[in-house]
Short mmCIF file of all heavy atoms in Angstrom, two decimals:
data_model
loop_
_atom_site.label_atom_id
_atom_site.label_comp_id
_atom_site.label_asym_id
_atom_site.label_seq_id
_atom_site.Cartn_x
_atom_site.Cartn_y
_atom_site.Cartn_z
N VAL X 1 10.71 -2.97 -30.05
CA VAL X 1 10.72 -1.75 -29.22
C VAL X 1 11.67 -1.91 -28.03
O VAL X 1 11.61 -2.90 -27.29
CB VAL X 1 9.29 -1.44 -28.73
CG1 VAL X 1 9.32 -0.32 -27.69
CG2 VAL X 1 8.40 -1.06 -29.90
N TYR X 2 12.53 -0.89 -27.86
CA TYR X 2 13.42 -0.82 -26.71
C TYR X 2 12.66 -0.07 -25.62
O TYR X 2 12.39 1.12 -25.73
CB TYR X 2 14.70 -0.10 -27.09
CG TYR X 2 15.73 0.04 -25.99
CD1 TYR X 2 15.93 -0.97 -25.05
CD2 TYR X 2 16.49 1.20 -25.87
CE1 TYR X 2 16.85 -0.85 -24.05
CE2 TYR X 2 17.44 1.34 -24.86
CZ TYR X 2 17.61 0.32 -23.95
OH TYR X 2 18.53 0.45 -22.94
N GLN X 3 12.28 -0.77 -24.56
CA GLN X 3 11.38 -0.21 -23.57
C GLN X 3 11.90 1.07 -22.92
O GLN X 3 11.15 2.02 -22.74
CB GLN X 3 11.07 -1.26 -22.49
CG GLN X 3 10.17 -2.38 -22.99
CD GLN X 3 9.96 -3.47 -21.96
OE1 GLN X 3 10.76 -4.39 -21.86
NE2 GLN X 3 8.90 -3.37 -21.19
N ALA X 4 13.17 1.12 -22.57
CA ALA X 4 13.71 2.30 -21.91
C ALA X 4 13.61 3.53 -22.81
O ALA X 4 13.28 4.63 -22.35
CB ALA X 4 15.16 2.06 -21.51
N GLN X 5 13.87 3.35 -24.09
CA GLN X 5 13.78 4.49 -25.00
C GLN X 5 12.33 4.90 -25.21
O GLN X 5 12.01 6.09 -25.30
CB GLN X 5 14.43 4.14 -26.35
CG GLN X 5 14.59 5.36 -27.26
CD GLN X 5 15.49 5.08 -28.44
OE1 GLN X 5 16.08 4.00 -28.56
NE2 GLN X 5 15.60 6.04 -29.34
N ALA X 6 11.44 3.92 -25.26
CA ALA X 6 10.01 4.23 -25.39
C ALA X 6 9.51 5.01 -24.18
O ALA X 6 8.72 5.94 -24.31
CB ALA X 6 9.21 2.94 -25.56
N GLN X 7 9.97 4.65 -22.99
CA GLN X 7 9.56 5.37 -21.79
C GLN X 7 10.11 6.79 -21.79
O GLN X 7 9.46 7.71 -21.31
CB GLN X 7 10.05 4.62 -20.55
CG GLN X 7 9.31 3.30 -20.33
CD GLN X 7 10.00 2.41 -19.32
OE1 GLN X 7 11.15 2.62 -18.95
NE2 GLN X 7 9.29 1.38 -18.87
N ALA X 8 11.29 6.98 -22.36
CA ALA X 8 11.91 8.30 -22.38
C ALA X 8 11.30 9.22 -23.43
O ALA X 8 11.22 10.43 -23.22
CB ALA X 8 13.41 8.16 -22.65
N GLN X 9 10.86 8.66 -24.57
CA GLN X 9 10.41 9.50 -25.68
C GLN X 9 8.94 9.34 -26.03
O GLN X 9 8.39 10.16 -26.76
CB GLN X 9 11.26 9.19 -26.92
CG GLN X 9 12.73 9.54 -26.73
CD GLN X 9 13.56 9.24 -27.97
OE1 GLN X 9 13.46 8.15 -28.54
NE2 GLN X 9 14.34 10.21 -28.40
N GLY X 10 8.30 8.29 -25.56
CA GLY X 10 6.88 8.12 -25.77
C GLY X 10 6.48 8.00 -27.23
O GLY X 10 7.13 7.34 -28.05
N ALA X 11 5.38 8.70 -27.59
CA ALA X 11 4.81 8.59 -28.93
C ALA X 11 5.80 8.98 -30.02
O ALA X 11 5.78 8.42 -31.12
CB ALA X 11 3.56 9.46 -29.02
N GLU X 12 6.68 9.91 -29.73
CA GLU X 12 7.67 10.34 -30.73
C GLU X 12 8.53 9.17 -31.20
O GLU X 12 8.79 9.00 -32.39
CB GLU X 12 8.56 11.43 -30.13
CG GLU X 12 9.65 11.93 -31.05
CD GLU X 12 10.56 12.95 -30.39
OE1 GLU X 12 10.24 13.40 -29.26
OE2 GLU X 12 11.59 13.30 -30.99
N TYR X 13 8.96 8.36 -30.26
CA TYR X 13 9.79 7.19 -30.58
C TYR X 13 8.97 6.13 -31.31
O TYR X 13 9.39 5.61 -32.35
CB TYR X 13 10.37 6.62 -29.29
CG TYR X 13 11.03 5.27 -29.42
CD1 TYR X 13 12.24 5.12 -30.11
CD2 TYR X 13 10.46 4.14 -28.83
CE1 TYR X 13 12.86 3.88 -30.20
CE2 TYR X 13 11.08 2.91 -28.92
CZ TYR X 13 12.27 2.77 -29.61
OH TYR X 13 12.88 1.54 -29.71
N PHE X 14 7.79 5.83 -30.80
CA PHE X 14 6.95 4.82 -31.43
C PHE X 14 6.65 5.19 -32.89
O PHE X 14 6.77 4.36 -33.79
CB PHE X 14 5.64 4.67 -30.67
CG PHE X 14 5.74 3.92 -29.37
CD1 PHE X 14 5.23 4.47 -28.20
CD2 PHE X 14 6.31 2.66 -29.31
CE1 PHE X 14 5.30 3.78 -27.00
CE2 PHE X 14 6.38 1.96 -28.12
CZ PHE X 14 5.88 2.52 -26.96
N ASP X 15 6.26 6.43 -33.12
CA ASP X 15 5.84 6.84 -34.45
C ASP X 15 7.00 6.88 -35.43
O ASP X 15 6.83 6.58 -36.62
CB ASP X 15 5.14 8.19 -34.39
CG ASP X 15 3.80 8.13 -33.67
OD1 ASP X 15 3.29 7.01 -33.45
OD2 ASP X 15 3.27 9.21 -33.31
N ALA X 16 8.17 7.25 -34.94
CA ALA X 16 9.32 7.36 -35.82
C ALA X 16 9.93 6.00 -36.15
O ALA X 16 10.32 5.75 -37.30
CB ALA X 16 10.38 8.26 -35.19
N GLU X 17 10.01 5.12 -35.17
CA GLU X 17 10.72 3.86 -35.34
C GLU X 17 9.83 2.65 -35.60
O GLU X 17 10.26 1.68 -36.22
CB GLU X 17 11.58 3.59 -34.09
CG GLU X 17 12.59 4.68 -33.78
CD GLU X 17 13.67 4.82 -34.84
OE1 GLU X 17 13.96 3.81 -35.53
OE2 GLU X 17 14.21 5.93 -35.00
N PHE X 18 8.57 2.71 -35.13
CA PHE X 18 7.69 1.54 -35.24
C PHE X 18 6.28 2.00 -35.66
O PHE X 18 5.31 1.80 -34.93
CB PHE X 18 7.64 0.79 -33.91
CG PHE X 18 8.99 0.31 -33.44
CD1 PHE X 18 9.75 1.07 -32.57
CD2 PHE X 18 9.51 -0.88 -33.91
CE1 PHE X 18 11.01 0.64 -32.16
CE2 PHE X 18 10.76 -1.32 -33.50
CZ PHE X 18 11.52 -0.56 -32.63
N PRO X 19 6.19 2.59 -36.85
CA PRO X 19 4.91 3.20 -37.26
C PRO X 19 3.78 2.22 -37.52
O PRO X 19 2.61 2.63 -37.54
CB PRO X 19 5.29 3.94 -38.55
CG PRO X 19 6.48 3.19 -39.08
CD PRO X 19 7.25 2.77 -37.85
N GLU X 20 4.08 0.94 -37.71
CA GLU X 20 3.04 -0.03 -38.03
C GLU X 20 2.37 -0.63 -36.80
O GLU X 20 1.43 -1.43 -36.93
CB GLU X 20 3.62 -1.16 -38.89
CG GLU X 20 4.21 -0.71 -40.21
CD GLU X 20 3.18 -0.02 -41.08
OE1 GLU X 20 2.02 -0.49 -41.12
OE2 GLU X 20 3.53 1.00 -41.71
N LEU X 21 2.82 -0.27 -35.62
CA LEU X 21 2.22 -0.84 -34.42
C LEU X 21 0.73 -0.54 -34.34
O LEU X 21 0.29 0.58 -34.64
CB LEU X 21 2.89 -0.27 -33.16
CG LEU X 21 4.31 -0.73 -32.84
CD1 LEU X 21 4.84 0.06 -31.64
CD2 LEU X 21 4.37 -2.22 -32.57
N ASP X 22 -0.05 -1.52 -33.92
CA ASP X 22 -1.43 -1.25 -33.57
C ASP X 22 -1.45 -0.47 -32.26
O ASP X 22 -0.45 -0.41 -31.53
CB ASP X 22 -2.21 -2.56 -33.41
CG ASP X 22 -2.60 -3.16 -34.74
OD1 ASP X 22 -3.26 -2.46 -35.53
OD2 ASP X 22 -2.23 -4.33 -35.01
N ARG X 23 -2.60 0.14 -31.97
CA ARG X 23 -2.70 0.90 -30.73
C ARG X 23 -4.11 0.84 -30.16
O ARG X 23 -5.08 0.58 -30.88
CB ARG X 23 -2.27 2.35 -30.93
CG ARG X 23 -3.10 3.15 -31.89
CD ARG X 23 -2.46 4.51 -32.16
NE ARG X 23 -3.20 5.26 -33.16
CZ ARG X 23 -4.22 6.07 -32.90
NH1 ARG X 23 -4.61 6.25 -31.64
NH2 ARG X 23 -4.85 6.70 -33.86
N VAL X 24 -4.19 1.07 -28.87
CA VAL X 24 -5.47 1.27 -28.21
C VAL X 24 -5.86 2.72 -28.46
O VAL X 24 -5.10 3.63 -28.10
CB VAL X 24 -5.36 1.01 -26.70
CG1 VAL X 24 -6.68 1.34 -26.00
CG2 VAL X 24 -4.95 -0.43 -26.42
N THR X 25 -6.99 2.97 -29.08
CA THR X 25 -7.41 4.35 -29.29
C THR X 25 -8.04 4.92 -28.02
O THR X 25 -7.77 6.06 -27.65
CB THR X 25 -8.38 4.47 -30.47
OG1 THR X 25 -9.44 3.53 -30.31
CG2 THR X 25 -7.65 4.14 -31.78
#
């Protein structure tokens, strides 16, 4: 994960580029 892009796009970026990440529900 590129932190700056994650901060700019949030869930949209995570879900599109790194869908296998675990998460805190």
Side-chain angles (χ1 to χ4, degrees):
V1 171
Y2 180 37
Q3 288 176 275
Q5 190 168 355
Q7 290 166 346
Q9 297 180 311
E12 178 183 351
Y13 169 70
F14 285 128
D15 292 346
E17 302 294 333
F18 301 94
E20 300 301 319
L21 288 174
D22 281 304
R23 62 188 176 89
V24 175
T25 52

